[in-house]
Amino acid sequence: MAGDRYIGNRAINILLLVVMFVFGCSLEKLSPSQILEIKPLEERIEDKYKKLRNSEALTMETEISSRIFISRTSPYYSVKYLKANLKLIPVTDSRQKVLNLEIKAPGTFIDNTLAFTLDDPSPGFHEFKVKAETLCRYEYVRVTDKISWPFQVTAAEHIKYTEPSLIIDSDDENIHALASSITKGKDDLYRIVFKASKWVMENVHTEFDNSTVYTSQKASWVLENREGVCDEKTNLLIGLLRSLGIPAKFITGFVGINYNHKIIFKPHSWTEVYFPSVGWIPFDVAYKQLGFIDATHIKVAESVDTSDPITSYEWETVDISDHNATDGRDPGADLVSIKNLRVKTKIKQEAGTVAPLLESTAKVWHNEIEAGSYNVIEATVINPNKFYVITDLHVKIPYELKIMGKTNKMLLLEPDTKITVYWIVKPTYDPGLNMFATFPVDIIATKSNPIGVSFNVTKGKGNAKYSLENLKRKVEKKLKNERNKEDI
């Protein structure tokens, strides 16, 4: 509980819902593939989940409810009125539309806030409930031209999203120093936001503990400790952008996740960044969705700071006796008990599948190598569109194949461009004399169709053997003239 205050015999209690928005920020870990038993990515995370992630639109029903219990444990006080205010209701914006809203009396809906007011409530349980049917679309915001940075922010509605706040302390000197290093030599707004997002994804590790689950940590704390969940990652990204004068919002909502082979919706948070002449663009660093969010995202609120109340309760107690209580207890705490908020979401309808935006090709440098040798996996991603596209390029390998470096690479492709990336790999499995083993590799780029390649490892058949140093030199030579190699 936070913000309790009293005026005479008036007790006003404000509760902030923070804990429930930190549990939905990581996917269930996937089991690694075994040699010769590799399965495509869509099978590993289940066809149903992949289909939802790539749906053009989803119609979902969300039910929010809670109960408030009023007792008569105090002989001196009763409750004059009780109010509950919620900003957990799905909103209508450019990518989602509230189709139907059912509010259980005595609730009213004003300015995206659901207000329940009970006058002279009787002892016992009082329930408030709302059902919202929402149509959410897969949104990819298209930026066709370079937007130069820095730019002047003049509108009052945008200026407030550039200023430091309680949790998003963008005026911290370490945040400013990091933001400056990220933007050094760059003047393309899309690339700057991409670089800041990429830094957060690569350097802030998902960590569920008391310091992040039960409270939302400051952006400066996240930078220092390099850990957190969706709240913390979002706080730091917004802090970095605001320190550069780039407007950024904190978005609260829900997201569908694959949990124990079931599709469930968990509380979540992400960022919206303002691009002049384009508008607000979503960046979800927890789910690696940059420049877009999928249709399983349900937006319920936007705010300047994480600490802005999403749900609040208020009540007034009155003295019903001829004398004041002398036991020193809190009459509000005696009389009112707030039960846990319950949120349930189910999918009612699916519509369409998003078409791939990118094209991908892949090859291995050597189709057959001798045991103990290294090899190179080469992948090229092509953006044939007239707008920027960000993709997460991921290579999935068997246990027995060791990779030099990271398995995934976040790439920003400008309009009508392509990027080629390389992974050096080494088989750790010895097939035995005069035998061979096949090593399959899956390459998946978001917004592109997955592709697969493979190569053989032999022993005693006279195939060439390639050293790590030799292949490194060849890869470095190819990268020298690669465009945008600083983003690989």
Side-chain angles (χ1 to χ4, degrees), residues 405-425:
K406 298 179 180 179
T407 59
N408 75 293
K409 303 174 186 290
M410 293 297 299
L411 307 175
L412 169 60
L413 291 97
E414 295 179 2
D416 293 314
T417 60
K418 66 180 181 179
I419 297 178
T420 301
V421 298
Y422 307 87
W423 291 275
I424 299 178
V425 296

Side-chain angles (χ1 to χ4, degrees), residues 173-183 199 223 226 236 240:
E173 60 180 13
N174 292 325
I175 289 179
H176 183 70
L178 174 59
S180 297
S181 68
I182 290 173
T183 60
W199 193 97
L223 178 57
R226 308 289 177 92
L236 181 54
L240 291 169

Side-chain angles (χ1 to χ4, degrees), residues 374 424 466-476:
Y374 290 81
I424 299 178
Y466 303 94
S467 69
L468 176 62
E469 292 73 18
N470 177 267
L471 293 181
K472 272 186 174 180
R473 285 195 299 269
K474 291 183 178 181
V475 168
E476 288 170 0

Side-chain angles (χ1 to χ4, degrees), residues 134-265:
T134 310
L135 173 65
C136 296
R137 294 182 175 86
Y138 184 110
E139 179 186 44
Y140 195 90
V141 182
R142 301 184 176 192
V143 178
T144 57
D145 300 314
K146 173 183 174 180
I147 298 175
S148 297
W149 178 88
F151 55 86
Q152 188 70 31
V153 180
T154 57
E157 60 180 318
H158 298 151
I159 290 176
K160 66 180 180 179
Y161 293 109
T162 65
E163 298 172 344
S165 54
L166 180 63
I167 303 297
I168 305 174
D169 50 347
S170 54
D171 53 350
D172 177 82
E173 60 180 13
N174 292 325
I175 289 179
H176 183 70
L178 174 59
S180 297
S181 68
I182 290 173
T183 60
K184 186 177 181 180
K186 296 178 176 58
D187 63 353
D188 184 331
L189 177 61
Y190 209 105
R191 188 167 295 280
I192 288 170
V193 178
F194 166 72
K195 294 288 285 185
S197 301
K198 184 181 177 184
W199 193 97
V200 173
M201 289 188 296
E202 292 180 347
N203 293 278
V204 181
H205 308 291
T206 301
E207 194 68 41
F208 293 92
D209 58 32
N210 290 346
S211 63
T212 57
V213 169
Y214 297 109
T215 186
S216 186
Q217 296 290 350
K218 285 188 174 184
S220 56
W221 183 96
V222 182
L223 178 57
E224 179 180 357
N225 292 274
R226 308 289 177 92
E227 65 178 47
V229 288
C230 55
D231 275 10
E232 281 73 31
K233 295 177 181 182
T234 300
N235 289 342
L236 181 54
L237 175 59
I238 295 175
L240 291 169
L241 297 177
R242 287 184 185 175
S243 73
L244 299 169
I246 300 171
K249 295 178 181 178
F250 186 93
I251 306 300
T252 300
F254 302 96
V255 69
I257 67 170
N258 182 30
Y259 182 76
N260 285 343
H261 310 293
K262 294 181 180 179
I263 306 299
I264 64 173
F265 284 78

